[in-house]
Amino acid sequence: MKTRAITGLFFVIALVLATLLNAYVFVAFFSLIAVFAAREFFVICKSEETKPLFGLGLLTAGVLSVLASLYFLGLIDVKYLALVLPLFSSIFIASLFLKREKPFNDIAYTLLGICYGTIPFIFFIALGFIHGKFNPYIPLGFLIILWANDTGAYLSGRAFGKTKLFERISPNKTWEGFIGGVALAVLIALNLQQYFGSLTKMEWGSVALVIGVFGTLGDLVESMLKRSLGIKDSGQILPGHGGFLDRFDGLLIAAPLVYLLLLFI
């Protein structure tokens, strides 16, 4: 428990500093996590029947992250993002030469690792630039709301939890915890306008609802992944907390949807 608490504290400090320091640190930090998340996915999904194209998958995730980062920073035009397309094509072509019995298993898990592990972080980075120039308070607010949702779900689930939410996927999650998590997330979000500005109270509240609902579903999706693979944690890089997929499970589903929400409202 002590190791978990210390790791969690330093991890939170690192995330907050990386978000607040400047645009370059923010983009570099979360782009790196995007690549590590894809790598983690490839590692846990490797088996006799499925072998993601590790090197090519990491290269594609890395190039995609770098190109997106350069675009957000205003260093390249959007058309240069298309340079990643040959790498996606090469994942299919490379499988022709590997002589695997079920090559499309390898191709599918390679593409899924990029879609599930890397692309959500690109959308999270995009939240910092949704108004054109870099604004750290929107992604920071996202993280605070996500943590509030997790905290509220844990506390209310412990105190009142009786009705199982998805027992076959995560036996400890309850409807009472889910409602408590969303309620605390919205409560915290409504106060962020006073300190962070950037969005109206209604917009912060809407963001909290999306994070509360889809962040919880993201947690369940990652639990479903681990259960299907027969593993407890996605990695061991964070002592007491597992891997990056474990720590950012809610972000993986919620970040693209929050970006879409803010893009239209």
Side-chain angles (χ1 to χ4, degrees), residues 8-106:
L9 175 63
F10 280 102
F11 189 58
V12 167
I13 291 172
L15 291 176
V16 172
L17 289 178
T19 304
L20 289 177
L21 281 175
N22 58 58
Y24 292 94
V25 173
F26 171 70
V27 165
F29 183 84
F30 285 99
S31 293
L32 195 60
I33 291 180
V35 177
F36 273 111
R39 177 190 178 279
E40 207 169 77
F41 183 90
F42 297 149
V43 169
I44 63 175
C45 290
K46 184 179 179 181
S47 67
E48 284 300 317
E49 291 188 354
T50 302
K51 291 186 178 179
L53 283 72
F54 194 85
L56 201 48
L58 278 185
L59 178 63
T60 305
V63 170
L64 178 61
S65 297
V66 168
L67 290 174
S69 298
L70 293 175
Y71 166 67
F72 292 138
L73 293 169
L75 301 177
I76 62 171
D77 191 75
V78 66
K79 64 184 178 183
Y80 288 101
L81 290 173
L83 291 173
V84 77
L85 294 179
L87 287 173
F88 277 102
S89 299
S90 69
I91 292 172
F92 291 86
I93 296 168
S95 296
L96 291 171
F97 300 93
L98 296 178
K99 299 179 181 179
R100 294 271 296 154
E101 185 178 346
K102 297 179 179 179
F104 270 87
N105 282 2
D106 305 339

Side-chain angles (χ1 to χ4, degrees), residues 10 15 42 56 73 114 118 127-128 154 163 172 175 198 248:
F10 280 102
L15 291 176
F42 297 149
L56 201 48
L73 293 169
I114 298 167
T118 299
L127 289 175
Y154 174 76
T163 313
N172 294 326
W175 278 102
S198 307
F248 290 103

Side-chain angles (χ1 to χ4, degrees), residues 116 169 216-226 249 253:
Y116 181 67
I169 300 297
T216 301
L217 291 174
D219 188 335
L220 289 166
V221 167
E222 205 254 350
S223 295
M224 180 172 63
L225 171 65
K226 291 188 292 185
D249 48 13
I253 300 296

Side-chain angles (χ1 to χ4, degrees), residues 145 183-195 200-206 208:
I145 293 168
L184 184 60
V186 172
L187 179 64
I188 295 296
L190 292 176
N191 286 280
L192 289 180
Q193 199 278 333
Q194 178 181 351
Y195 300 101
T200 65
K201 273 195 174 185
M202 182 67 71
E203 289 168 343
W204 278 118
S206 300

